[in-house]
Amino acid sequence: MAAAAAAAVGGQQPSQPELPAPGLALDKAATAAHLKAALSRPDNRAGAEELQALLERVLSAERPLAAAAGGEDAAAAGGGGGPGAAEEEALEWCKCLLAGGGGYDEFCAAVRAYDPAALCGLVWTANFVAYRCRTCGISPCMSLCAECFHQGDHTGHDFNMFRSQAGGACDCGDSNVMRESGFCKRHQIKSSSNIPCVPKDLLMMSEFVLPRFIFCLIQYLREGYNEPADGPSEKDLNKVLQLLEPQISFLEDLTKMGGAMRSVLTQVLTNQQNYKDLTSGLGENACVKKSHEKYLIALKSSGLTYPEDKLVYGVQEPSAGTSSLAVQGFIGATGTLGQVDSSDEDDQDGSQGLGKRKRVKLSSGTKDQSIMDVLKHKSFLEELLFWTIKYEFPQKMVTFLLNMLPDQEYKVAFTKTFVQHYAFIMKTLKKSHESDTMSNRIVHISVQLFSNEELARQVTEECQLLDIMVTVLLYMMESCLIKSELQDEENSLHVVVNCGEALLKNNTYWPLVSDFINILSHQSVAKRFLEDHGLLVTWMNFVSFFQGMNLNKRELNEHVEFESQTYYAAFAAELEACAQPMWGLLSHCKVRETQEYTRNVVRYCLEALQDWFDAINFVDEPAPNQVTFHLPLHRYYAMFLSKAVKCQELDLDSVLPDQEMLMKLMIHPLQIQASLAEIHSNMWVRNGLQIKGQAMTYVQSHFCNSMIDPDIYLLQVCASRLDPDYFISSVFERFKVVDLLTMASQHQNTVLDAEHERSMLEGALTFLVILLSLRLHLGMSDDEILRAEMVAQLCMNDRTHSSLLDLIPENPNPKSGIIPGSYSFESVLSAVADFKAPVFEPGGSMQQGMYTPKAEVWDQEFDPVMVILRTVYRRDVQSAMDRYTAFLKQSGKFPGNPWPPYKKRTSLHPSYKGLMRLLHCKTLHIVLFTLLYKILMDHQNLSEHVLCMVLYLIELGLENSAEEESDEEASVGGPERCHDSWFPGSNLVSNMRHFINYVRVRVPETAPEVKRDSPASTSSDNLGSLQSSRRPKVLQRENSGTAQVFSLVAERRKKFQEIINRSSSEANQVVRPKTSSKWSAPGSAPQLTTAILEIKESILSLLIKLHHKLSGKQNSYYPPWLDDIEILIQPEIPKYSHGDGITAVERILLKAASQSRMNKRIIEEICRKVTPPVPPKKVTAAEKKTLDKEERRQKARERQQKLLAEFASRQKSFMETAMDVDSPENDIPMEITTAEPQVSEAVYDCVICGQSGPSSEDRPTGLVVLLQASSVLGQCRDNVEPKKLPISEEEQIYPWDTCAAVHDVRLSLLQRYFKDSSCLLAVSIGWEGGVYVQTCGHTLHIDCHKSYMESLRNDQVLQGFSVDKGEFTCPLCRQFANSVLPCYPGSNVENNPWQRPSNKSIQDLIKEVEELQGRPGAFPSETNLSKEMESVMKDIKNTTQKKYRDYSKTPGSPDNDFLFMYSVARTNLELELIHRGGNLCSGGASTAGKRSCLNQLFHVLALHMRLYSIDSEYNPWRKLTQLEEMNPQLGYEEQQPEVPILYHDVTSLLLIQILMMPQPLRKDHFTCIVKVLFTLLYTQALAALSVKCSEEDRSAWKHAGALKKSTCDAEKSYEVLLSFVISELFKGKLYHEEGTQECAMVNPIAWSPESMEKCLQDFCLPFLRITSLLQHHLFGEDLPSCQALLIQESKWKLPHLLQLPENYNTIFQYYHRKTCSVCTKVPKDPAVCLVCGTFVCLKGLCCKQQSYCECVLHSQNCGAGTGIFLLINASVIIIIRGHRFCLWGSVYLDAHGEEDRDLRRGKPLYICKERYKVLEQQWISHTFDHINKRWGPHYNGL
């Protein structure tokens, strides 16, 4: 009616023509204001219609866009302007209309004012950095944005920072998810009263405009979606979404306006009437109609129906009883297998990949269709979600939908809608190509909805959430089922998931399972699940799909061609889809009241297991050679049993099935244990590595408590309830070692190769030991378990805190309350372990903080059984034993090789007492007796390990002997006696003393035993027929005929002994029953014959003989109670015993004696008979051979060890001497013969060819050197306080005060006023990019080096260096190097005749120096030596970049080279000073002087510098030593004068003078040069001082000096000299410049004589330090002794890296959001330079220049090729050195001394000062290349 009226009125509306056409920009604001006014009238019908018409007009103007997106011809629709124009126009209109004529921004502000911001609700996407605080969280999914986290108070809490994987939202303010104490200041609950009520007219327009806007958006989505044959392509969908970006962003902005606007949006989105009016597609509007059709098509194509009929299941009206009936019907259908059908339209990819395995489709008879196929949309919200799913969850839409969540009403509506679409989500996810991205986005939404218990409960009740989830999961898995091949391949009815399918391989099921786990964590929801029988049945049905998946079949012939990696998928699936929900359910079964739940689960679990046994046709024997590690049904059953006994006080027997079922239950878990032993014995080696991978994953820390632990527990339960003889015989049979257990020395094993026998026997015994000693589920408390786990891990190796957390299996359900880092963890850790702080190895390898077991743990708690259970790698068991041995040796408790210690166990829970019957059954005793006998007789294939386990089992049996048996018992024969001649009873204590005389065995005819005659009267028994334990008794077989009936088999095994005690005639007739026919190859066994052995031993006598054998002495055992009877009465048997086999035997005998007087007597008797030595059994020649062979091998092995050890120690001492050769006095290792006074030549050893000899012109020797450009010198600063890394916008670092900057300024100043060529001689360069030369001190012939380089070039392996750039490693010490510095042939420095002081006067010397400099330095003739000198000079030049060599204004001028060469010398001297700590008192690195190559370097430099002879006119030496008249012509020819000598840098002059002299230099010439230059320096110092004084001071000094002149010591006094300098300088203009005033202002204080003297000293010291060093290197003189002068601080402070803040978070918070200066985006990998603080993008393409990325560029500009960067997102430091880089490590460690690379754990990190010092030291001493080993090329990509 209303619509019709509106249309009618629309025709006569006068204002319509004035409405702006969409193209014209008429005054929108006026229109909006007019409409707002019209709408605020009480009768607003007219206004509403006008607005409708306008919106219709404006929003339809966007049609062309949709047409364009749909790929139709946009022009036909008449779109004016570009496709974007109309759309922007529409948005502008919407904004104007919402604001009602005002400004849009003001409108936003106004709405924000009404925001009751109780919740933060900030939504973020993947990679956002958020925080999680476990102390404040109620739900473990709780997360906070950084702002809320830092504004809340979380000091001392257990929190961490993390990078969001899927996206999330901030929970601050939501008390359902976190405790209120953790809320930040902004969201601490505000009462709603102080928020004013929203005025009606503010949001009135929004209520009218938004429905149309949202409808318009939906129409777009409908039109943009074309349903092609194979699903729309990624590209089309993205195109549509891009076009819609502005609209969705507009909606998103609306949600950010706060609560008031959100509630309007909620009204619009959930109002059903609005939706109906706009979208029903009735009406006459063609557009709407068309779009409605597209919508229906989309629904249909998604396999969904649009229910016309109102009664079909919808969210609002669930039809009663749908849930249970439909689900149960559905289960009925699933049980029967439908037709095998591979034409499944959903999954085109499945059938090809599977080869012959066809996919199984379950018949879909009575599935609950409504859950899967029906969708009815009743509001905008529902349809929006539908399209969001259709478009595969576009990020923008997800963010918009989540931004609305703080609105409570919306939250409920949205959750219900989400649940309603759940099945559709699953279908879309399965088809999606981008399932990873989609999974993340689904979870992003669902985790916000389902973490809230209240909401989850509501949806469970109202929308059948659990039914939907379980059904959807079942459906999902159904698409990839195949027939199980376990057991009976042909007739099996069981189906399992196929782990090769994408669904499992890519974890596509993950989002759904994760939601399921999430809702099960809520108690109210889990209780509903556990009470609903229908659901439990469905769920067990789901779990059974995983039962027996990924079946392994042992390859017996050739190696498998293709190793499948499906096992990853299988283990992940069982853990996530079966185990995690199980732990979730278990966490709600903690108290007595929940017994009912356990009974339900156990009941349906057993039913499912029974169905499974039936489906795979299981009778009694597992099929041979196959194993599956996946038995989730067994594990569900086991874990619920354990919980029932531990927490709910249920009677175990009330939930156990009958014996037959128990027998079946134990088979498969036992099969896994046996297979583990087989895999470790290399019997599965043909299946490839993956089978080892499975065996390891099965016990690995994340899986063990959902896999091996429940399996062993289940076996323990079975063992405690079944007949022990049956159980023990089954174990030995499964492990295939029955045939080995014979007294005969030879036997035939039909099922096992001889080489595997030993390890399989060890496996079987170890399994029994674990089974009998493990108490994880049999009575240990949680804290005891935690402690045992921790001790086991620490005993294997020292561990870091994080790896311990990772290795200790926690209850995998995250909500279980055992949180890693919880208090119990920390307290247990501090109780059992000591913390070892992180230390530095001298090699530079950095240790983390480690925990190591306390001594008392080794002493009392080390438990080998637990270690064996938990080791993934077998070597860890050995490692634990080695550490244990070391501890015992060190603490002096036991010197020898100890055995694994015996540990007393915690007591058993009463329900499991039956387990100990295993120790008291005859079968086990027979086995133990046999093994002891075999060990004593040295039969083959037995090891110390076997003996150890046998003794362990005997000791366990004695500890757990039932009741004190009376001594009479022994004499009572009882009826049993007659048919059993092995042992009288089943108690170990009495059986130990029972003597066994003769045994009849079955042996091969060749065996030595056959020859003996058997005594006629043997009460013989036949252990050999342990082998025939599989054969049923003949009588029984005749009676019943069927060997397969299970009960019979049970009977047959009931008494191991009955079978044994059978006459030989029967034994010969027996044939094996059909079941085991697969085992032995027919005809393989040779003839067996019966022999009778004489034994005459009891277990006790065997033990005593064993003692003799182990100790190697006769009569070594002496019963200790004979001396001290007390021992028996109160045996002081400790809980824990160290020792080896001998002590073990003694312990056992003592326990046996103390438990029974008879035993005591018998032991004494045996000891009294002086036992003759055990007669060695007749060893056949063949056996002797093998024994000898073994022995020989062992000896050879020992010899080899010894040799290797010796070799290693030799090598070590050789290295030490080699490295130590270069002692500080001499520069090169040389041999000096002091006897001869004549000049000895220096002798060098070549480390390649090993010859020694002098270096000669034609075969020069060279030093191995590393040349590198360095800017360390330039980083010296002259102010005291250290520079800090900037951590806010205000802090910046300016490089004005660095040494490099100051020198640059100085050079450019000189170049402004003086002649260029002269300027270049007045200073030094190389403060930045100077070349530093270092050597390891080893020498080699240069021709040897060349061939070495050739061989490296051809060697294509792993080098971390580039041979083409001349890089290599020293052949002796492997230090990195890149050049060879030739040694100048000539005399040895030490005995240098040039050094003897001459008595020439200073004048003569000055003349000599001048003459020597004047001689042209013609390059020596073309010798090999000179060629090498040339090439090394080239290397030195190429080491640094051109910009660091060319300072001249005329490029390529020779002055540049000249300057560069003497600056290299300067750089090396200055750096050495810095390494010495800035002064000569070798406080710094005294090693720096150790391997200096300055001498050789000087030769090379001098040789080249003398090629450039300085014109004598310009030679500064003349100016320094002669008074010349100014030659006026000279001055006027040049435009620019030369640099006055007073402005020259004296140290540079010194180097020029020295290098211009012919080498080697004479000592007196050197001294002469220094004296002359010091005069200049002193004058400069005085001049500089005088400039600093004020005018008055100057005149005062001038006069004071003049007065002093007359006194006697006038020559020496600096005052006199100062006054002279001042008066001389008065003649010039120097003092008349304006500069002096400023100086005077700076230093208003009067100068005291002391301060003046100090000032002069400071000026002169740097020069003196350099000269001392030079003298030390050139003439081998000692450095001057420590005078106070030399210690004084120099002007420049030593270079340092930037100071870093204490807490890493301060750096991270500032830099990880900082934008790149080039592209203003936040870089993906930000980094910061630790030398200068520059912010750079690692690998950032935005900052790339000529193929160099920013870090590499910066390393060249800032450090001349060396860069030290801190990677912000990884907390790691990376070093760039030239073309290589390496990860250095982190200087930030957490509270446990560990790095956190990539911030994975997100714990707070603190600076480790020691590490930072090490880094700085390596930087200053240029040793990165030597210390860090892992270098790789960066190809300029960093």
Side-chain angles (χ1 to χ4, degrees), residues 1544-1562:
H1544 272 263
D1545 172 45
V1546 184
T1547 316
S1548 306
L1549 275 178
L1550 171 72
L1551 290 170
I1552 296 177
Q1553 296 307 325
I1554 290 177
L1555 291 171
M1556 291 301 291
M1557 304 282 289
Q1559 301 289 318
L1561 188 64
R1562 277 178 47 176

Side-chain angles (χ1 to χ4, degrees), residues 457-469:
R457 188 193 51 73
Q458 189 181 346
V459 186
T460 308
E461 281 169 12
E462 294 174 20
C463 311
Q464 301 179 320
L465 175 61
L466 283 167
D467 288 343
I468 290 179
M469 280 197 169

